[in-house]
Amino acid sequence: MDILEPEVNPSECGDSCCSSERKSHHSEKTKKNLVTRLNRIEGQIRGIKGLIERDTYCDDVITQISATQAALNSVAKLLLEGHMKSCIVERIQEGDNEVVDELLTTIEKLMKK
């Protein structure tokens, strides 16, 4: 599993990273990895739809749904890791401690699933 690497050094990115425009700054390698994973998940969703259309046994469909949820969770973990290592650190260094509450809310959303 690749670790998200910032495209630029957080101390050099100024307002363009996560502050005013609130954009991510993933490397091209990381973006490609995430898009590849999401394309695979998209295929899994289409596959689940096909299983339902073909009246596949419920347990088999549920197994596929579980696998898809795990894949989505994996994408979320990668994004969260990169967010914490770049955007969160940067904003705390800038004195924006409210970002901790934002992070806690994000983690709470992920844990509800």
Side-chain angles (χ1 to χ4, degrees):
M1 184 181 319
D2 290 339
I3 295 176
L4 293 178
E5 303 165 10
E7 196 167 304
V8 294
N9 183 332
S11 64
E12 298 173 351
C13 73
D15 290 335
S16 66
C17 287
C18 300
S19 52
S20 61
E21 276 188 40
R22 295 183 65 135
K23 289 188 175 185
S24 64
H25 44 279
H26 306 298
S27 69
E28 288 303 314
K29 178 182 176 184
T30 297
K31 279 194 252 186
K32 184 177 180 182
N33 179 19
L34 292 169
V35 168
T36 298
R37 288 170 180 262
L38 291 169
N39 286 338
R40 192 175 307 126
I41 291 166
E42 187 177 26
Q44 287 177 294
I45 296 292
R46 282 192 303 272
I48 291 167
K49 180 181 174 190
L51 293 175
I52 290 172
E53 289 171 343
R54 291 188 303 277
D55 296 319
T56 303
Y57 185 62
C58 297
D59 191 59
D60 295 336
V61 177
I62 291 168
T63 298
Q64 292 305 310
I65 290 171
S66 178
T68 303
Q69 287 172 328
L72 275 172
N73 286 339
S74 178
V75 169
K77 285 183 216 174
L78 286 172
L79 285 168
L80 181 61
E81 179 181 352
H83 183 56
M84 290 174 72
K85 288 182 175 181
S86 59
C87 302
I88 299 298
V89 169
E90 176 187 324
R91 288 176 61 187
I92 288 172
Q93 289 172 345
E94 292 173 352
D96 181 3
N97 291 326
E98 290 179 14
V99 72
V100 174
D101 291 330
E102 176 187 294
L103 177 61
L104 291 171
T105 300
T106 300
I107 292 171
E108 183 179 318
K109 287 176 188 176
L110 285 173
M111 292 180 75
K112 285 183 180 179
K113 296 180 182 203

